[in-house]
Amino acid sequence: MLTRRPRRLRRTPALRQMVRETTLTVDDLIAPLFVADGSGIVRPIGSMPGQAQRSVDRLTSELDALMELKIPAVLLFGIPAHKDVTGSSGWDATGPVPQAIRAIKQYAPDLAVIADVCLCEYTSHGHCGVLADAPGSGDVLNDPTLELLARCAVAYADAGADIVAPSAMMDGQVAAIRAALDAAGHDQVAILSYAAKFASAFYGPFREAAESTPAFGDRRAYQMDPANGREAMREVALDVAEGADMLMVKPAGAYLDVISAVRQRYDLPLAAYQVSGEYAMIKAAAQQGWIDERRAALESLTAIRRAGADMIITYFARDAARWIAGGA
Ligand code: PBG
């Protein structure tokens, strides 16, 4: 005779609904947007079906959908008209991201606007900071990069961003940005720190989307080694000490243990980034008819929530919000 029969509580949808431990709601979702300099641009991203680069004047249909679905926040990436060795378009007040922030604040004032802060979309070499002078040197200089990241953050705050999200993985970037924001009168602008960001193969499609593939080398000298979980805790500790308001682990799916460990040790709001490669894999398998897109996407998002993330940055934001609301 079995006395324990876990199946009793799995028998009907209502019973399963009662005992469900983890919820996924629209409140948990953050939608990334790629904003291109120029006008009249809607350029689909081949490796990310359903996603596109858009110029500011072509954002409205996307914003309408986000508002209708009540998605609370967007994360902005810029594709500038010009790139140079220092990434100066990144802090240009007339660049795509500041323009988009102003437009969104006017058109969709209820949306929280998060601006990604990194130089890789803006540098001619595609690295996340400035390089040492030596010819052929691939060294990304840490401290000289901090000031440039701070300029970007202030430009986005000036334009009206609610939150800035430094993703360059330079040491001390949160402290440098906090100091610069405060000095510029932006003490109410929050920092969402990409605290534990790994050097991941899953960023591949994003680099097509943001046109930010490094011209040489890779990012392993500044992004984290995927093998390291304890080091992630040290990275998070530093960012908390430097004044991060919210934390992020990135990517999400292959790093659920890191999300869980951060959740247990820290009380700040925690985001996880389901990155481009995670999205592309589900999309590609679904297009082949090898996987049920809706179920796989919702399962992956629920798992990220179960691991402990409060918020999920995901290219499925729109679809997931629709599915959760009961739409097809
Ligand atoms: C910028 C940045 C990257 C991503 C977010 N911010 C790319 C990278 O580090 O190469 C990746 C996002 C994704 O893959 O969806 N540094």
Side-chain angles (χ1 to χ4, degrees), residues 118 120 167 197 203 206-207 219 223 250 275-276 315:
C118 192
C120 64
S167 67
K197 175 175 175 180
Y203 304 151
F206 175 93
R207 293 179 186 173
R219 305 204 202 291
Q223 297 180 348
K250 176 186 171 189
V275 302
S276 55
Y315 303 98

Side-chain angles (χ1 to χ4, degrees), residues 19 23 31 65 120-121 155 168 181 189 237 246 263 273 323:
V19 300
T23 58
C120 64
E121 299 116 85
L181 288 175
V189 173
M246 305 160 89
R263 168 75 301 148
Y273 198 145
W323 292 328

Side-chain angles (χ1 to χ4, degrees), residues 100-219:
I101 296 168
R102 283 189 290 266
I104 295 170
K105 280 295 162 188
Q106 200 165 39
Y107 187 78
D110 293 341
L111 271 180
V113 177
I114 310 172
D116 186 86
V117 176
C118 192
L119 295 178
C120 64
E121 299 116 85
Y122 304 98
T123 52
S124 42
H125 44 75
H127 278 287
C128 301
V130 285
L131 303 180
D133 283 337
S137 164
D139 273 0
V140 174
L141 298 173
N142 194 88
D143 297 12
T145 298
L146 296 179
E147 198 221 325
L148 306 185
L149 294 172
R151 279 188 213 172
C152 296
V154 170
Y156 307 153
D158 284 345
D162 300 290
I163 300 172
V164 292
S167 67
M169 285 304 278
M170 296 297 127
D171 294 337
Q173 62 183 10
V174 171
I177 287 171
R178 184 72 271 158
L181 288 175
D182 291 352
H186 293 303
D187 62 5
Q188 291 303 303
V189 173
I191 298 177
L192 164 58
S193 146
Y194 283 72
K197 175 175 175 180
F198 292 86
S200 173
F202 294 106
Y203 304 151
F206 175 93
R207 293 179 186 173
E208 178 197 335
E211 299 173 11
S212 65
T213 307
F216 58 86
D218 55 42
R219 305 204 202 291

